[in-house]
């Protein structure tokens, strides 16, 4: 077990000497601290000085990472080894954004020609749609593109399409339907003309209940209006690894399918064909800039020494809080409205990857693994949940993300936005002492309520501007952070058996709630009652 390693034990001892230290003192003691704990790569700066660490902490964390083989594991991923042990697959999303000329091999085969071929096909298709040269069945140009997919086949492109909204071709509507709740589809097509609408069915396996149900209903919606099954060919394309199932659905897999590969995990698939909706929205050139950003951070992750490595540093700070301070959650707080879906995206990336409790030897771990990830854009969160971060009983490490420039400069909005970001991290770190509160003339009985302990750790990640490049680099940094943590916890970060469970569980209940005759129920009494209640009440 990792927590039996001597490096872990040494960290535990070191923690005892750090737990009471206040960031106020750490900053007082070391005037060079802000500079010392600042890193730069791929257009991003990480200021991690407002963390409850000193030089020694970082050294010990580096030793732990080295002993756990983080660097070797990283090299194994880039070498296309089958590091996804429970599915015996390579984890090779880094090849999707390899914008260099270097080959990248999986099982002895250079995958780059195929990667480039699909990107080229996506670019041609996107250009046609954007130029109004992809005509629907009745000859009208497509103006609406609806991505139908869920989980990894939705969150990435949905998040990035919002994030890069400033670069969108505004006369095209690109929307995302994921939930099996019919409201999702109904609300997204209600104002659309079927003649001008194209559905992108995004499913790696092409078996996912939600996606196939929505896809079938979308086909019905289209055919109810166009009344000719031949219309499907002009109004449906697929993003998948499963050509046979795509063909079965009625989509021409040769012409209208964009493929990817089993070495692309769903939640790591934004740079694959799964990004088609995004590419249609921002155009191929911007999409390729995003790949450049991913690649720049990949290269940094691959080549920078541990002490200068942004993803590794973020990972180690997370380990420090989760495994030594006992933090259970981690907040992601972008001060950028366009990044409103980033917390949800990272929730999947992190929690599906590191929400594991069995180590690689099949044993239950005796330490905490992945945290609960959550967050909202600032400043909205400040008027809601920040209270708990400032004065609650829990320690909640947080990432503050901001940009020097706004995509929508308007008066002093951006200065105010960024002033809030800076003021929050300062207040979280340094708080307000009793003396300071008293000096403000506060009545002594009110002092305890107005005092802020501070010592709340934060990372600040800043970049000049939210561009496709900076977005790509930011996402890659988080991906690699998650990777390093998984290695340190000795878990398999690239499977998701819990998701698979969900995919089969509902089948039995569905049969029971929809059966004509009264089913014999053999669940627990609570579930039996719920099924009966639903059967009695579902009919109006
Ligand atoms: C991601 C998960 C999961 C998956 C969805 C959709 O890593 O595996 O979120 O992406 O369940 O799966 P399909 O793309 O196969 O429909």
């Amino acid at each position: 077990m990792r927590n039996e390693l001597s490096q872990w034990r040494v960290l535990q001892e070191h923690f005892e000497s750090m737990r009471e230290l206040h960031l106020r003192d750490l900053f007082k003691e070391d005037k060079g601290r802000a500079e010392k704990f600042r890193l730069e790569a791929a257009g991003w700066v990480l200021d991690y000085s407002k963390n409850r660490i000193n030089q020694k902490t970082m050294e010990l964390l580096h030793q732990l990472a080295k002993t756990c083989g983080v660097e070797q594991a990283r090299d194994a991923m880039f070498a296309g080894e089958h590091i996804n042990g429970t599915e015996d697959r390579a984890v090779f999303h880094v090849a999707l954004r390899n914008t260099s000329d270097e080959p990248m091999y999986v099982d002895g085969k250079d995958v780059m020609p195929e990667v480039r071929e699909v990107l080229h096909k996506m670019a041609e298709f996107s250009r046609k749609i954007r130029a109004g040269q992809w005509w629907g069945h009745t000859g009208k140009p497509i103006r609406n593109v609806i991505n139908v997919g869920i989980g990894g086949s939705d969150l990435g492109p949905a998040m990035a399409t919002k994030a890069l909204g400033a670069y969108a071709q505004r006369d095209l509507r690109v929307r995302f339907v994921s939930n099996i709740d019919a409201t999702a589809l109904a609300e997204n097509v209600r104002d659309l003309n079927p003649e001008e609408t194209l559905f992108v069915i995004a499913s790696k396996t092409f078996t996912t209940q939600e996606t196939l149900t929505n896809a079938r209903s979308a086909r019905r919606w289209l055919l109810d209006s166009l009344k000719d099954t031949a219309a499907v060919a002009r109004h449906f394309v697929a993003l998948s690894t499963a050509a046979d199932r795509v063909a079965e659905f009625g989509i021409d897999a040769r012409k209208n399918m964009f493929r990817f590969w089993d070495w692309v995990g769903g939640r790591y698939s934004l740079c694959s064909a799964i990004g088609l909706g995004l590419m249609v929205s921002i155009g191929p050139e911007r999409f390729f800039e995003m790949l450049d950003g991913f690649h720049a951070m990949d290269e940094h992750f691959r080549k920078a020494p541990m002490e200068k490595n942004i993803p590794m540093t973020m990972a180690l700070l997370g380990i420090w809080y989760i495994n030594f301070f006992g933090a259970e959650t981690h907040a992601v707080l972008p001060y950028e409205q366009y990044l409103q879906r980033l917390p949800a995206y990272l929730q999947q990336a992190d929690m599906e990857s590191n929400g594991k409790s069995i180590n690689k030897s099949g044993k239950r771990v005796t330490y905490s693994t992945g945290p609960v990830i959550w967050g909202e854009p600032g400043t909205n969160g400040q008027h809601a949940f920040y209270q708990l971060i400032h004065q609650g009983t829990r320690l909640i490490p947080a990432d503050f993300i901001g940009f020097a420039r706004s995509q929508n400069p308007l008066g002093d909005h951006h200065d105010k936005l960024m002033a809030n970001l800076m003021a929050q991290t300062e207040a979280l770190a340094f708080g307000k002492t009793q003396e300071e509160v008293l000096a403000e003339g506060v009545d002594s009985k009110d002092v305890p309520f107005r005092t802020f302990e501070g010592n709340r750790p934060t990372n600040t990640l800043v970049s000049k501007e939210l561009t496709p490049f900076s977005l790509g680099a930011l996402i890659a940094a988080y991906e690699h952070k998650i990777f390093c943590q998984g290695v340190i916890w000795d878990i398999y970060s690239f499977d998701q058996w819990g998701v698979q469970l969900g995919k089969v569980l509902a089948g039995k209940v569905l049969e029971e709630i929809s059966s004509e005759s009264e089913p014999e129920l053999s669940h627990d009494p609570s579930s039996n009652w719920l099924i009966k209640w639903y059967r009695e009440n579902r009919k109006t």
Side-chain angles (χ1 to χ4, degrees), residues 87 148-155 202-212 239-241 260 264-269 274 348 352-353 494-496 499-500 503:
E87 296 178 314
V148 177
I150 195 163
S153 299
D154 165 71
L155 282 161
S203 177
K204 179 174 169 181
T205 55
F206 232 75
T207 58
T208 305
Q209 187 193 50
E210 290 91 334
T211 302
L212 291 190
L239 319 176
S240 189
T241 58
F260 55 112
V264 184
R267 54 193 173 277
Y268 296 91
S269 64
I274 291 295
Q348 182 192 25
E352 210 168 84
S353 298
F494 296 97
D495 58 20
Q496 54 283 314
V499 180
Q500 320 292 44
K503 289 190 181 185

Side-chain angles (χ1 to χ4, degrees), residues 376-421:
E376 272 288 317
T379 60
N380 290 1
Q382 289 176 206
H383 300 264
F385 54 78
Y386 278 37
Q387 166 62 36
L388 186 145
I389 308 183
H390 280 287
Q391 287 190 307
T393 52
R394 293 164 207 284
L395 180 79
I396 301 182
D399 293 347
F400 281 72
I401 301 169
F403 299 89
R405 299 178 206 142
S406 169
Q407 300 300 315
N408 294 293
L410 179 63
D412 60 358
H413 282 244
H414 198 66
D415 292 349
K416 286 177 175 161
L417 176 71
M418 290 304 287
N420 272 282
L421 180 156

